[in-house]
Amino acid sequence: MRPTQRWPIHPPPRHGESLSSWLYRIAAVYQLTVGELLEHDLGHRPVDADVLDLSPPAGLLAELARRSGLDHDRLRRMSISGHVPWLLDSIDPHANNFDTYVRQLSILMPTHRRGRGGRRRPSPGWRPWLPTEPGGRRACPQCAADPHRQRWILAARLPLQVSCPTHRCLLEPCFGYPDHLYWDTDNQLPRPASPAVVILDRYTDQALTSGTVRLPRRTIHSGMWFRLLRTLIDELCAPVHRAGPAVQEAWAQHGGRPPILICRPFEALPWTAQAELLTVAADTIAHLAAGDITPDGDHGCLFIPERVGDDFPPGHARRNQHARVRRIAVDRDQRRTAGERMDFLLADAIDEARRDPKAARSLFTFMRHGCRTDRELERLLEVFDGLDIPTSGFRGNLPPDLYA
């Protein structure tokens, strides 16, 4: 008998769904457990749900693509490893640098005020957004009640979202299965989320599902969004002697800062503290957009909408505008530096080079300018390998330096 090449029934993945959730729904169609589906139908040893959602085996993904007809990359994006290097630099616990990820950007305070290392520098093995202790499952009560939306979302596995962007209600702790949930709370459900939290979670949802985020000032890449959000959380946890007026104003709007938030890195906090920090970050972004907080960092202007001439009453000269608005308008022009624009262009060029060998060769031709020795060329090739840019098409015959 010929083996089955394609599942006769396989429900498509739902918006933001994790790989373990999708496999559970497929197994339920055939009245199997996920372990039985993997072992007896796919011929693969059972895999824990945490492994499926973190970094599933490559052979399993290939078999799932063959049996479902879905694109391999689409399936891989249903796990955390599918969002490398944008969500985190690497799944490898020792390949992520805290200072590089968290302290290259700045929103509320200048980078030099936070220093390098600091009291909350995590131990070796730190990975952004991956909690050091299991935080349990969270789900949207309204999605769970809708048979067409029941699933575990990947973002709920991480301290990334507080609410459901679709129903504007808080994600609640629970246990069970996507179609049989039991709520681990005594609160009356659902609980509405604040408008600021909904906006923040929509930004994160855009980053995970589309790869870009539309901020008030302009659209940015998802890789920059996750680093911006982690930077904002780090600034909110800055020690009092380093925190500037913008950080103090953000906490004053919230009613004060709990001491636990400055003693441990974000990933090591319990979920309640992580949710509070994400809520404060959402409120801070709302205050930046409203002009209630003036940012002192280089990238705070991304959250401030463009000010146009219609904002000024007819007959009033621009010199009569409020000082805060005047300062924002000046900062807007000063902060659009060539270096910032180059970051976006370089990120797009790297992404294109990963997919197109011709683009990879063109990028290497551009980047090799200034490499005087063979050793420098080898180091550049190592950088390309580290960025997962294929070099097999030109490694044996390097393109010449066109600018020499």
Side-chain angles (χ1 to χ4, degrees):
M1 296 179 61
R2 296 180 59 186
T4 302
Q5 296 298 317
R6 187 72 60 85
W7 279 319
I9 302 175
H10 50 277
R14 291 170 178 167
H15 181 80
E17 187 172 21
S18 67
L19 184 62
S20 64
S21 173
W22 179 63
L23 287 178
Y24 172 83
R25 292 195 298 111
I26 292 178
V29 171
Y30 300 102
Q31 299 182 355
L32 300 173
T33 66
V34 174
E36 292 170 343
L37 179 73
L38 296 180
E39 184 175 6
H40 301 299
D41 187 46
L42 300 179
H44 195 284
R45 61 178 178 81
V47 182
D48 187 76
D50 292 336
V51 177
L52 289 173
D53 292 342
L54 177 63
S55 182
L60 176 59
L61 287 179
E63 181 64 18
L64 289 174
R66 186 178 68 87
R67 299 297 296 274
S68 66
L70 295 176
D71 183 72
H72 183 277
D73 291 338
R74 172 68 179 89
L75 294 174
R76 189 168 179 268
R77 287 196 299 271
M78 297 172 67
S79 65
I80 296 172
S81 62
H83 297 274
V84 172
W86 311 128
L87 177 62
L88 66 166
D89 295 330
S90 174
I91 292 295
D92 183 0
H94 302 287
N96 297 271
N97 185 277
F98 180 79
D99 289 325
T100 301
Y101 192 97
V102 176
R103 295 183 173 173
Q104 283 192 326
L105 307 178
S106 59
I107 299 174
L108 298 180
M109 53 191 297
T111 305
H112 70 271
R113 290 189 61 87
R114 286 186 287 158
R116 299 184 66 84
R119 295 170 54 192
R120 291 170 293 100
R121 183 183 179 90
S123 58
W126 170 86
R127 291 180 291 184
W129 303 113
L130 293 185
T132 56
E133 298 180 1
R137 298 270 192 175
R138 295 179 295 277
C140 168
Q142 297 192 55
C143 288
D146 185 351
H148 301 289
R149 292 183 178 271
Q150 292 172 342
R151 84 279 192 214
W152 296 117
I153 62 173
L154 183 63
R157 301 282 291 185
L158 307 172
L160 275 174
Q161 289 184 201
V162 182
S163 68
C164 172
T166 302
H167 296 111
R168 302 183 180 184
C169 61
L170 298 178
L171 300 177
E172 302 290 352
C174 58
F175 57 93
Y177 304 97
D179 53 351
H180 294 90
L181 287 182
Y182 302 91
W183 304 104
D184 191 15
T185 178
D186 296 329
N187 297 314
Q188 185 176 1
L189 305 181
R191 293 186 297 166
S194 67
V197 167
V198 173
I199 291 175
L200 175 63
D201 288 340
R202 283 181 176 173
Y203 288 155
T204 301
D205 186 67
Q206 290 176 27
L208 288 171
T209 57
S210 68
T212 59
V213 180
R214 295 187 60 185
L215 294 181
R217 183 58 61 95
R218 66 170 177 268
T219 299
I220 65 173
H221 192 275
S222 61
M224 186 172 185
W225 166 251
F226 291 122
R227 286 155 178 78
L228 271 177
L229 181 57
R230 189 59 181 84
T231 294
L232 178 58
I233 291 174
D234 188 67
E235 291 175 337
L236 290 171
C237 296
V240 175
H241 68 281
R242 288 185 178 273
V247 176
Q248 296 174 5
E249 180 63 23
W251 281 110
Q253 299 278 358
H254 190 69
R257 176 171 59 177
I260 188 177
L261 301 184
I262 65 173
C263 301
R264 301 164 63 185
F266 176 74
E267 291 76 13
L269 295 172
W271 164 246
T272 53
Q274 292 172 336
E276 182 177 7
L277 262 175
L278 289 171
T279 302
V280 176
D283 293 338
T284 302
I285 290 175
H287 290 309
L288 288 172
D292 298 329
I293 297 178
T294 302
D296 292 326
D298 294 334
H299 302 85
C301 59
L302 291 173
F303 300 99
I304 302 174
E306 292 278 6
R307 301 304 202 257
V308 297
D310 295 340
D311 292 339
F312 302 96
H316 288 239
R318 283 182 178 265
R319 58 184 175 83
N320 294 329
Q321 62 180 303
H322 192 276
R324 177 179 294 167
V325 178
R326 188 164 59 245
R327 178 180 177 181
I328 291 174
V330 173
D331 289 348
R332 177 193 62 198
D333 298 329
Q334 292 179 345
R335 289 171 177 170
R336 286 183 173 179
T337 62
E340 184 179 351
R341 291 194 298 271
M342 183 60 71
D343 289 340
F344 290 101
L345 294 175
L346 183 58
D348 291 340
I350 292 174
D351 194 34
E352 180 67 19
R354 288 193 177 102
R355 300 190 300 266
D356 187 357
K358 293 183 179 179
R361 182 183 179 91
S362 298
L363 181 61
F364 185 87
T365 302
F366 173 74
M367 296 297 295
R368 72 161 295 170
H369 177 59
C371 294
R372 308 293 184 185
T373 63
D374 292 341
R375 175 54 185 161
E376 290 176 341
L377 286 175
E378 286 297 327
R379 291 179 61 184
L380 181 59
L381 287 170
E382 292 173 0
V383 171
F384 271 53
D385 293 338
L387 293 173
D388 294 331
I389 300 176
T391 59
S392 57
F394 56 85
R395 186 182 288 268
N397 183 21
L398 297 180
D401 185 358
L402 301 180
Y403 307 99

